Amino acid sequence: MEKIAWFEIVGPHGNVLSRHPVQQWPLRVGRAYDSDVVLDDPYTAAHHLEIQGLAEGRYQLTALSTLNGLHLGRKRASDACIAAGETARIGQTHFRLCPSDGLNLAPERALPATGWWKHWLWLLLAFGCWSAEYMLVRWLDYDRADAYHSIFLSLFEQFPTLLLWAAFWSFLGRMLTGRSAWLQQGTLALLGDALYETIGDSAGYISFITGSHLVESLLQSVAQPMLFAAVLYLHLRLATHLHPRSRWLLAIGIVLGMEAFFAAKVYLLSSENSAETDYVTTIAPPQLTLTPPKTTAQFLRDMKKLQQKLDAKNKS
């Protein structure tokens, strides 16, 4: 008997789990062995659903003697009319109906051109860049007598945090797309953190070289949040099927929320500890500066003005 349609059971990510040819209408679906399509789903009835083919590639669905009914998206219905390729659910089984010649097939995907070892190579390269940046900055910041202990201790304290970050995105991708992509997530986490820290650490040196805090403020307030948003976008691209615009909106929303949280935190801490003063642990060589150095007289005048401001503040 010639087939007239296909009944396809699909997974949560849209992948086809099984196909059943339809040779006559109506088509009965359920757990009973006399059904046309027998399901192994405890949340479906023995005779759960009846399907009738209509004109122009549409299908009439009718729920039979069932407790859990028929669902289109989140809406429950006793009967419904669906188009070819539209997904419905009975119990925990997602299905769709297709014409006998099938739906428009997606083009064949090319096999990955790189071997699995090259993904590991990228991960090791990213780890090398992250370690080099992290240890260089810590080496410049700490006292040389305690440098090696501080460098390696802080390195091994930071690395598990990045592993947990990459593991979170891998787990999310496994849940939402069926693919963990943990090598790519780990590589992205290491490279993103290395670039983020490089921008933040270089901001102070650029400020010292130019004699202006404008560049430092732009790097810390604009460049770093933009980089973080881009890294979040790439994580979401690997872990979800969201539209690109939705990924950008979600990434930017997360960054703005975090910026607002940390700004409020800094404001509250600064108001509680107004007497504390920030200081730098590294003094860059004077040869790096591009601005003319101040004379002794200028330095003393600036110190006198600063003393007057402090005295006025203490009196008030």
Side-chain angles (χ1 to χ4, degrees), residues 24-297:
Q24 63 180 4
W25 302 114
L27 181 75
R28 288 179 173 266
V29 182
R31 284 190 295 121
Y33 285 95
D34 61 349
S35 299
D36 299 310
V37 178
V38 181
L39 300 178
D40 185 19
D41 183 349
Y43 299 98
T44 57
H47 299 97
H48 195 111
L49 185 70
E50 183 177 276
I51 305 173
Q52 179 68 48
L54 303 177
E56 299 180 354
R58 300 188 67 82
Y59 306 92
Q60 180 68 37
L61 310 181
T62 304
L64 302 176
S65 301
T66 167
L67 175 65
N68 294 319
L70 167 68
H71 293 266
L72 297 177
R74 294 186 177 181
K75 183 179 179 181
R76 177 169 176 161
S78 58
D79 59 84
C81 183
I82 64 172
E86 188 176 351
T87 303
R89 178 174 64 85
I90 54 175
Q92 291 186 341
T93 302
H94 297 258
F95 68 92
R96 66 188 182 191
L97 289 139
C98 307
S100 58
D101 55 353
L103 298 172
N104 294 328
L105 295 177
E108 179 186 8
R109 293 183 182 181
L111 290 171
T114 58
W116 64 269
W117 59 272
K118 291 191 177 180
H119 293 298
W120 281 98
L121 186 62
W122 278 108
L123 182 65
L124 293 175
L125 180 63
F127 179 75
C129 293
W130 175 79
S131 302
E133 190 279 335
Y134 199 87
M135 288 191 290
L136 176 62
V137 171
R138 298 309 180 274
W139 185 77
L140 291 173
D141 275 350
Y142 287 107
D143 182 14
R144 298 300 180 268
D146 194 36
Y148 300 105
H149 178 266
S150 300
I151 289 171
F152 289 106
L153 181 61
S154 58
L155 177 67
F156 287 108
E157 288 176 349
Q158 182 73 8
F159 187 63
T161 304
L162 286 178
L163 284 180
L164 289 175
W165 175 262
F168 165 76
W169 289 108
S170 298
F171 177 75
L172 185 65
R174 186 67 178 177
M175 294 294 294
L176 298 180
T177 66
R179 179 171 173 266
S180 61
W182 67 276
L183 283 175
Q184 292 92 326
Q185 296 285 14
T187 302
L188 181 58
L190 288 168
L191 287 178
D193 188 65
L195 288 174
Y196 188 90
E197 293 295 333
T198 299
I199 293 174
D201 295 330
S202 61
Y205 285 97
I206 294 176
S207 175
F208 178 81
I209 292 171
T210 59
S212 171
H213 291 286
L214 177 62
V215 178
E216 182 179 10
S217 299
L218 288 175
L219 287 175
Q220 294 179 343
S221 303
V222 179
Q224 280 188 310
M226 288 179 62
L227 174 65
F228 187 41
V231 171
L232 283 176
Y233 173 86
L234 294 175
H235 278 305
L236 289 167
R237 182 181 178 185
L238 290 171
T240 68
H241 289 310
L242 291 175
H243 188 273
R245 187 171 68 175
S246 300
R247 290 197 293 261
W248 275 120
L249 290 175
L250 182 57
I252 292 172
I254 293 174
V255 171
L256 291 178
M258 294 181 66
E259 288 292 314
F261 171 77
F262 286 115
K265 181 180 178 181
V266 170
Y267 174 78
L268 292 175
L269 290 177
S270 62
S271 61
E272 293 176 359
N273 305 298
S274 57
E276 295 184 4
T277 304
D278 292 333
Y279 64 93
V280 295
T281 56
T282 303
I283 300 177
Q287 291 81 359
L288 289 177
T289 182
L290 298 179
T291 57
K294 291 185 178 182
T295 62
T296 304

